[in-house]
Amino acid sequence: MVATTALFEIGMQTKIEATKHQAHAAELFRRAGIFITPVEQKQIETADFGLGEFTQTGLGVLVYVNTERCCAKELAMWPRQTCPEHRHPPVGDDPGKEETFRCRWGKVWLYVAGQTSPVIHCQPPRGREATYTARREIALNPGDQFTILPNTLHWFQAGDEGAVVSEFSTRSRDECDIFTDPEIQRLAKIAT
Amino acid sequence: MVATTALFEIGMQTKIEATKHQAHAAELFRRAGIFITPVEQKQIETADFGLGEFTQTGLGVLVYVNTERCCAKELAMWPRQTCPEHRHPPVGDDPGKEETFRCRWGKVWLYVAGQTSPVIHCQPPRGREATYTARREIALNPGDQFTILPNTLHWFQAGDEGAVVSEFSTRSRDECDIFTDPEIQRLAKIAT
């Protein structure tokens, strides 16, 4: 339970905002042809990474399954919304999360550590450019996919219509993700 | 390369039949709202499990990714088509494949080892009833899913319209699957 005063913390999503974002994420899934249940709609995480600029830096996340061994999610992205740069480090015996992104609808530009691409189609969120370092660009249109190896820096941004992306991976341990931007909190609270 | 005489082996799919089945599987995916590329359509496996009765005992399978650690597929099922009973045993250090089925379109009845359900909605393929032993029934409509633990006997059958099912799992090692029916060959050849 977050204290009432938390409502006034800069950038914290209110329950009303989160519910509105959940409805829009469900609508994006619907456009992508993906059926989710009413219960699942309420389970959509509207991650703003603690920055309080959800439609700029954020992600709608529906986790289908996340066991000790594997995980599947749908990601809903608003037009030009960015998932900030991060990596999935080794945790104990686990070499770190391996994940495959498959674009279902719209378009997403993925940036991974490696050789800088000759043309870069996305701008990182304004004021945070220094926290975006990966410049190997991979364009994902519907039916395209890319597998990111563990501990590899990556970030991604939707195109002008937004995007829906399926993620297939080993176990998700979001709390262990390492973000380049020190201001980011992956598991930001929602004001109640 | 299969010898020409193989064309006349009972039940072996011809290339023409397999291509026709691939096209129909792609159409089922389209109905489910799933976009696949033309290249992927040609990669759809039309598994008949060596029985030569594809629309009765079979499965259209599109593998998106299958690494050492995780796997994602789409399954296309014809009306009342059955995937025969099998389990995924431990292999070396791997405790066996764990898989989650999520119904995307149509309906599928899943049967797993455990307590027999009071009502069973499916009949196994005729003449092969003895090779279907799991009788715990789980009905999967769009948006429903179920996780099958390693080494658990299971089989499934589509409803009257057919079905499209997403599978999220640990690594697939189809060649290691153990089927209850000794006549089944998981990796049956296609006549060329």
Short mmCIF file of all heavy atoms in Angstrom, two decimals, chain A residues 9 111 135:
data_model
loop_
_atom_site.label_atom_id
_atom_site.label_comp_id
_atom_site.label_asym_id
_atom_site.label_seq_id
_atom_site.Cartn_x
_atom_site.Cartn_y
_atom_site.Cartn_z
N GLU A 9 3.62 12.32 -5.67
CA GLU A 9 5.00 12.14 -6.12
C GLU A 9 5.05 12.40 -7.62
O GLU A 9 4.17 11.98 -8.37
CB GLU A 9 5.48 10.72 -5.83
CG GLU A 9 5.89 10.52 -4.39
CD GLU A 9 6.47 9.15 -4.17
OE1 GLU A 9 7.03 8.56 -5.11
OE2 GLU A 9 6.36 8.65 -3.03
N TYR A 111 17.24 -1.75 -30.93
CA TYR A 111 18.66 -1.37 -30.93
C TYR A 111 19.39 -2.27 -29.96
O TYR A 111 19.01 -2.37 -28.79
CB TYR A 111 18.82 0.11 -30.53
CG TYR A 111 18.16 1.00 -31.55
CD1 TYR A 111 16.82 1.36 -31.43
CD2 TYR A 111 18.85 1.41 -32.69
CE1 TYR A 111 16.19 2.12 -32.40
CE2 TYR A 111 18.22 2.18 -33.68
CZ TYR A 111 16.89 2.52 -33.53
OH TYR A 111 16.26 3.25 -34.50
N ARG A 135 23.45 0.98 -30.74
CA ARG A 135 23.13 1.62 -32.03
C ARG A 135 23.14 0.65 -33.21
O ARG A 135 23.26 1.06 -34.36
CB ARG A 135 24.14 2.75 -32.30
CG ARG A 135 24.01 3.89 -31.30
CD ARG A 135 24.99 5.02 -31.57
NE ARG A 135 24.99 5.98 -30.48
CZ ARG A 135 24.04 6.89 -30.28
NH1 ARG A 135 23.04 6.99 -31.12
NH2 ARG A 135 24.11 7.71 -29.24
#
